[in-house]
Amino acid sequence: MAIIRAAITGVGAFLPEYRLTNDEISTMVDTSDEWIMQRIGIKERRILKGEGLATSDMGAWAVEDLLRKTGTLADEIDMLICATITPDMSLPATANIIADKANIHNAWSFDLNAACSGFLFSLATATQFIESGRYKKVVIVAAEKMSSIINYKDRSTCPLFGDAAAAVLIEPNTEDLGVYDYINRVDGLGRHHLQIKAGGSLKPASQETVANEEHFLYQEGQAVFKAAVSSMADIAVEIMDKNNITSDDIAWLVPHQANMRIIEATAKRMKISKEKVMINIQKYGNTTAATVPLCLWDYEKQLKKGDNIILAAFGAGFTWGSTYLKWAYDTE
Ligand code: UT7
C-alpha cells in the first residue's frame, strides 16, 4: 500500500491595506529608515486598522481565500488549527471564531501557541492526523495582529512586527509528495528573554500592570538574536543531514522572517545561495506564526511539484524547528 503523506495543496492569505513605513515609525520613536534597514531589513509592515477587527477576521479572510483558490467547500474541512500568539481573547480559542466566520461547521478546531514556530508545530500536528488516514482536509491558519501587543513607544520592538494571516490546506498524498520529516524543539528557559509579562494567571491585569506597560511584548533583542541564529541554522542543518540531502538538492529554504541578518546566517550555514531563499521581510516585517506560510503564498507561482523545501523557524518559548517537504503541485 502506498504511504500516505501530508501535503500542502493550497495557500491563501490576507494582508491589511495599511502600510506602516520606516519613515512613519521615525515620527513615533527615535529611529531611522537607515538603522532599521541595516539592522533588521524591514522597509514596511502591514497594520490592521478598523474598529472591532481582530486576529480572527484576518484569519477568516485568509481561510476564505484558501477555500476559494482550492475550490474547497467550507463543510469539507475536518479540522482547523490556528497558530497565533494574539488570540482575539483568552477564551474561547480563536480557531473556533475563525471557523464560525468562515462557515466551517463540520470541523473541530484549536489554537496552537508556539509563537514564531507556530506554523511548523501546527504542520507537524496536522501531519499526524492526515498520515493516520482519518483526516482528509485540515486547515492551518497562522494569524497575528501583532500591532495589538506592540508598544509603539519602544524603538527596540516596534519596527520589527506586522499584522497578517496565511492559511494552508493539508491533504493526503500517495505520490510521495508532502511532509517527509520534521524536528521541533523547545527550551522554556528562553521565556525570560521574550514574553508578555502580565495578563495571564501569573500576573492578571490590574491598573499597575497597565501603568507599567506589561501587556506589551517584551524582548531582550540580543539574547534572542544569538539563540535564533544558532538554533535555526543548527536544526536546518540537522534535518538535511538526517535525510541525506545537501544544499544542491534543495529548491527553496523558507526561513522565519524576523531579521535579515538571521535569515542570511541560516542560509550561509546551510550553504544555500540567496536565490533559493524566500525573503519578504522587507514588505511585511515579522508576522510571527504567519511568516512561513506568507512566504509560500508570495512565492507560490515559482514552486514546482517535487521541489525539495526546508522550512525553519525560531521564536518565543524558546521554540524552534525545521521541516523537510516535497512540494505537491504546480500553479498554472
Ligand atoms: O521572531 C521572534 C524572534 N525575534 C527575533 O529573532 C529578534 C532578534 N533580535 C533582533 O533582531 C535584534 O536584536 C534587534 C533588531 C531587536 C536589535 O538589533 P541589535 O543589533 O541587536 O541592537 P541592540 O539591541 O544591540 O542595540 C544596539 C543599539 C542600542 O544603542 P546603544 O545602547 O548602543 O547606544 C539601542 O538602543 O541600537 C539602539 N537601538 C536603536 N537605534 C535606532 C535599538 N533599536 C533601535 C532603533 N533605532 N529602532
Side-chain angles (χ1 to χ4, degrees):
M1 219 171 81
I3 294 174
I4 301 173
R5 292 193 190 278
I8 295 173
T9 55
V11 197
F14 172 80
L15 285 161
E17 266 172 42
Y18 192 84
R19 293 159 194 255
L20 176 59
T21 62
N22 290 348
D23 288 340
E24 187 178 351
I25 288 190
S26 305
T27 66
M28 299 152 84
V29 290
D30 182 12
T31 190
S32 64
D33 176 56
E34 193 191 358
W35 193 94
I36 298 171
M37 284 306 289
Q38 259 178 21
R39 305 303 296 167
I40 317 174
I42 299 172
K43 197 75 189 163
E44 60 183 32
R45 61 294 285 146
R46 302 296 180 95
I47 302 294
L48 182 68
K49 302 261 185 183
E51 192 74 23
L53 293 180
T55 293
S56 66
D57 294 294
M58 292 191 293
W61 290 324
V63 170
E64 283 166 0
D65 182 43
L66 172 73
L67 298 181
R68 200 167 39 241
K69 270 176 75 176
T70 55
T72 308
L73 299 174
D75 281 345
E76 291 179 79
I77 303 302
D78 305 311
M79 170 187 267
L80 182 144
I81 305 172
C82 175
T84 190
I85 55 159
T86 51
D88 284 19
M89 50 190 82
S90 294
L91 75 133
T94 300
N96 303 1
I97 305 171
I98 292 174
D100 176 53
K101 289 183 175 173
N103 283 314
I104 292 174
H105 300 300
N106 290 329
W108 61 292
S109 60
F110 56 90
D111 287 0
L112 194 151
N113 177 338
C116 301
S117 309
F119 180 76
L120 273 71
F121 283 30
S122 299
L123 184 56
T125 306
T127 295
Q128 308 311 308
F129 288 94
I130 294 288
E131 284 180 355
S132 76
R134 290 185 63 180
Y135 287 74
K136 304 291 180 225
K137 289 183 195 291
V138 177
V139 166
I140 300 171
V141 51
E144 303 282 12
K145 187 181 169 185
M146 293 303 293
S147 58
S148 66
I149 55 166
I150 294 303
N151 183 352
Y152 287 95
K153 288 184 281 180
D154 174 8
R155 70 174 182 173
S156 69
T157 52
C158 76
L160 293 164
F161 297 94
D163 301 340
V168 299
L169 183 64
I170 315 287
E171 294 182 276
N173 181 290
T174 48
E175 296 172 51
D176 267 337
L177 301 169
V179 173
Y180 268 62
D181 198 9
Y182 54 84
I183 307 172
N184 291 324
R185 299 229 165 85
V186 301
D187 176 5
L189 273 181
R191 69 188 181 279
H192 299 295
H193 303 298
L194 182 48
Q195 58 177 215
I196 294 177
K197 293 176 186 289
S201 60
L202 177 65
K203 220 183 216 194
S206 68
Q207 288 186 354
E208 196 191 345
T209 61
V210 173
N212 290 340
E213 303 187 328
E214 289 177 311
H215 297 273
F216 292 124
L217 180 137
Y218 164 85
Q219 174 170 252
E220 291 161 10
Q222 273 192 19
V224 177
F225 185 91
K226 272 187 208 146
V229 166
S230 60
S231 305
M232 212 160 98
D234 282 353
I235 208 157
V237 169
E238 187 180 340
I239 208 161
M240 285 166 67
D241 291 347
K242 192 174 159 213
N243 290 278
N244 293 317
I245 45 175
T246 68
S247 54
D248 291 341
D249 304 314
I250 294 170
W252 294 99
L253 165 66
V254 192
H256 171 52
Q257 313 278 307
N259 187 314
M260 189 70 96
R261 290 180 291 146
I262 301 175
I263 295 171
E264 284 168 357
T266 304
K268 196 170 166 203
R269 268 287 305 285
M270 295 170 73
K271 300 192 176 71
I272 289 188
S273 57
K274 213 167 169 189
E275 315 84 69
K276 291 183 178 183
V277 184
M278 292 193 192
I279 299 173
N280 60 17
I281 187 172
Q282 70 286 357
K283 294 193 282 185
Y284 314 129
N286 182 348
T287 56
T288 307
T291 61
V292 169
L294 201 55
C295 278
L296 295 173
W297 176 79
D298 239 359
Y299 283 76
E300 189 187 18
K301 288 202 174 72
Q302 297 180 55
L303 296 174
K304 300 204 168 39
K305 197 170 171 178
D307 275 356
N308 282 323
I309 298 182
I310 302 281
L311 316 178
F314 180 90
F318 291 144
T319 57
W320 66 103
S322 186
T323 302
Y324 164 42
L325 59 86
K326 281 187 193 286
W327 194 247
Y329 63 93
D330 293 315
T331 311
E332 270 98 271

